[in-house]
């Protein structure tokens, strides 16, 4: 049976676009929802243009009450009955209460070679540390931040003169190759990691 995929974003949604575009033909999944935590997320318009239903669950009215935000998030997502949730630049930390409801069905992309550089400012931190390579990781989401079984990694070189911005752009290109490849495999029930150079 074709799997239904909900994609959660906070910004421009370039990873979301690469995932949606990949789900055609004999792909075992189709997008059923793009959800953002702010109506300002640029990716919402791009999703609508591609014919994917969109929703917004704004975190701001729930300030100081993460559980109520996550309850609202859960209800809206559940109403679209996804089999899989892809976090694609979704910049809200999710607590165990939410994660446990989707455990084994929720994956995330992070712009570093985990377990290195969990959290924010990954590219600046990698440059500061003098890394010669960087990259991105897709992993199953567990309650610990940017943790969980690794489903794939793509590596890119760090170049002389790189800034956080030039490195981010190179890593983002690799994200657009890795995430669709992992989703295709994950949706087919295969959790064997993918390693891309
Ligand atoms: C991507 O680089 C993604 O890996 C990162 O945000 C960017 C979103 O770009 N995610 C995180 O940092 C999550 N901790 P996009 O909106 O163009 O896909």
């Amino acid at each position: 049976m074709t799997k239904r995929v909900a994609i959660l974003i906070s910004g421009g949604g370039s990873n979301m676009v690469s995932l949606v575009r990949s789900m055609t033909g004999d792909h075992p999944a189709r997008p059923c929802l793009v959800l953002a935590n702010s109506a300002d997320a640029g990716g919402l318009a791009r999703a609508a243009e591609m014919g994917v239903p969109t929703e917004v669950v704004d975190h701001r009215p729930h300030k100081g009450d993460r559980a109520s935000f996550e309850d609202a998030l859960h209800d809206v997502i559940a109403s679209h009955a996804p089999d899989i949730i892809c976090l694609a630049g979704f910049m809200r930390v999710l607590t165990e209460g939410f994660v446990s409801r989707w455990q084994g069905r929720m994956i995330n992309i992070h712009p570093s070679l985990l377990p290195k550089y969990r959290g924010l400012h990954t590219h600046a931190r990698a440059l500061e540390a003098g890394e010669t390579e960087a990259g991105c990781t897709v992993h199953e989401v567990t309650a610990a931040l940017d943790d969980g079984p690794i489903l794939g990694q793509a590596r890119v070189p760090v170049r002389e003169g790189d800034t956080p911005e030039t490195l981010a752009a190179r890593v983002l290109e690799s994200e657009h190759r890795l995430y669709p490849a992992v989703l295709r495999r994950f949706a087919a029930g295969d959790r064997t990691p993918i390693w891309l150079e």
Side-chain angles (χ1 to χ4, degrees):
M1 251 230 332
T2 307
K3 297 278 172 45
R4 296 168 61 81
V5 177
I7 305 170
L8 273 51
I9 63 170
S10 294
S14 70
N15 275 292
M16 175 277 295
V17 170
S18 74
L19 291 175
V20 169
R21 285 198 180 134
S22 73
M23 285 185 264
T24 58
D26 67 355
H27 196 291
R30 291 290 183 272
C32 69
L33 169 68
V34 169
L35 181 149
N37 62 301
S38 164
D40 300 335
L44 288 169
R46 301 172 83 181
E49 276 164 25
M50 294 187 291
V52 182
T54 62
E55 299 267 20
V56 175
V57 179
D58 196 326
H59 63 279
R60 285 166 293 199
H62 303 276
K63 196 169 183 315
D65 189 350
R66 221 180 264 274
S68 95
F69 169 63
E70 291 185 347
D71 283 345
L73 190 61
H74 178 82
D75 288 348
V76 172
I77 294 171
S79 74
H80 291 263
D83 301 294
I84 296 169
I85 297 177
C86 291
L87 305 181
F90 187 67
M91 303 307 276
R92 306 304 301 170
V93 171
L94 297 168
T95 69
E96 182 158 21
F98 182 88
V99 169
S100 63
R101 287 150 121 171
W102 298 99
Q103 190 120 18
R105 296 183 288 158
M106 182 157 61
I107 63 180
N108 178 47
I109 190 153
H110 183 73
S112 79
L113 294 172
L114 290 174
K116 286 187 171 178
Y117 311 117
R118 296 186 168 103
L120 298 175
H121 311 301
T122 54
H123 307 300
R125 287 156 63 206
L127 290 175
E128 223 161 83
E131 299 284 357
T132 56
E133 63 175 5
C136 59
T137 304
V138 178
H139 63 95
E140 278 185 51
V141 178
T142 58
L145 181 69
D146 298 327
D147 202 2
I150 289 178
L151 298 166
Q153 281 189 327
R155 316 179 92 81
V156 301
V158 173
R159 299 229 163 90
E160 188 86 29
D162 259 340
T163 63
E165 291 72 31
T166 59
L167 182 56
R170 191 173 312 119
V171 171
L172 192 61
E173 269 177 36
S174 76
E175 295 183 41
H176 298 159
R177 286 185 283 120
L178 180 69
Y179 211 174
V182 169
L183 175 62
R184 175 181 274 268
R185 201 175 260 200
F186 187 77
D190 183 353
R191 286 168 161 77
T192 317
I194 292 177
W195 310 108
L196 299 181
E197 285 305 320

